[in-house]
PDB file of all heavy atoms in Angstrom:
ATOM      1  N   LEU A 107     -15.346  15.115  -1.806  1.00 97.00           N
ATOM      2  CA  LEU A 107     -15.896  13.763  -1.752  1.00 97.00           C
ATOM      3  C   LEU A 107     -17.112  13.766  -0.839  1.00 97.00           C
ATOM      4  O   LEU A 107     -17.146  14.502   0.146  1.00 97.00           O
ATOM      5  CB  LEU A 107     -14.871  12.786  -1.170  1.00 97.00           C
ATOM      6  CG  LEU A 107     -13.519  12.666  -1.840  1.00 97.00           C
ATOM      7  CD1 LEU A 107     -12.536  11.957  -0.919  1.00 97.00           C
ATOM      8  CD2 LEU A 107     -13.649  11.906  -3.144  1.00 97.00           C
ATOM      9  N   THR A 144     -27.061  11.813   8.166  1.00 90.00           N
ATOM     10  CA  THR A 144     -27.021  12.653   6.974  1.00 90.00           C
ATOM     11  C   THR A 144     -27.832  12.053   5.825  1.00 90.00           C
ATOM     12  O   THR A 144     -28.489  12.762   5.084  1.00 90.00           O
ATOM     13  CB  THR A 144     -25.560  12.856   6.511  1.00 90.00           C
ATOM     14  OG1 THR A 144     -24.808  13.395   7.602  1.00 90.00           O
ATOM     15  CG2 THR A 144     -25.471  13.794   5.331  1.00 90.00           C
ATOM     16  N   ILE A 184     -16.272   9.204 -20.658  1.00 88.00           N
ATOM     17  CA  ILE A 184     -15.786   8.103 -21.490  1.00 88.00           C
ATOM     18  C   ILE A 184     -16.978   7.372 -22.110  1.00 88.00           C
ATOM     19  O   ILE A 184     -17.007   7.106 -23.301  1.00 88.00           O
ATOM     20  CB  ILE A 184     -14.921   7.114 -20.677  1.00 88.00           C
ATOM     21  CG1 ILE A 184     -13.693   7.840 -20.122  1.00 88.00           C
ATOM     22  CG2 ILE A 184     -14.509   5.925 -21.534  1.00 88.00           C
ATOM     23  CD1 ILE A 184     -12.876   7.007 -19.164  1.00 88.00           C
ATOM     24  N   THR A 195     -34.648  -3.222   0.271  1.00 91.00           N
ATOM     25  CA  THR A 195     -34.523  -4.444   1.057  1.00 91.00           C
ATOM     26  C   THR A 195     -35.544  -5.445   0.536  1.00 91.00           C
ATOM     27  O   THR A 195     -36.478  -5.081  -0.185  1.00 91.00           O
ATOM     28  CB  THR A 195     -34.777  -4.196   2.555  1.00 91.00           C
ATOM     29  OG1 THR A 195     -36.162  -3.866   2.742  1.00 91.00           O
ATOM     30  CG2 THR A 195     -33.883  -3.093   3.098  1.00 91.00           C
ATOM     31  N   GLY A 228     -24.238 -11.417   2.724  1.00 78.00           N
ATOM     32  CA  GLY A 228     -23.658 -10.196   2.178  1.00 78.00           C
ATOM     33  C   GLY A 228     -23.665 -10.113   0.668  1.00 78.00           C
ATOM     34  O   GLY A 228     -23.179  -9.147   0.098  1.00 78.00           O
ATOM     35  N   ASP A 231     -28.026  -8.967  -4.717  1.00 94.00           N
ATOM     36  CA  ASP A 231     -28.799  -9.428  -5.876  1.00 94.00           C
ATOM     37  C   ASP A 231     -29.269  -8.212  -6.657  1.00 94.00           C
ATOM     38  O   ASP A 231     -29.649  -7.192  -6.063  1.00 94.00           O
ATOM     39  CB  ASP A 231     -30.007 -10.251  -5.422  1.00 94.00           C
ATOM     40  CG  ASP A 231     -29.608 -11.551  -4.738  1.00 94.00           C
ATOM     41  OD1 ASP A 231     -28.665 -12.206  -5.222  1.00 94.00           O
ATOM     42  OD2 ASP A 231     -30.249 -11.910  -3.739  1.00 94.00           O
TER      43      ASP A 231
END
Side-chain angles (χ1 to χ4, degrees):
L107 303 165
T144 304
I184 299 172
T195 68
D231 295 319

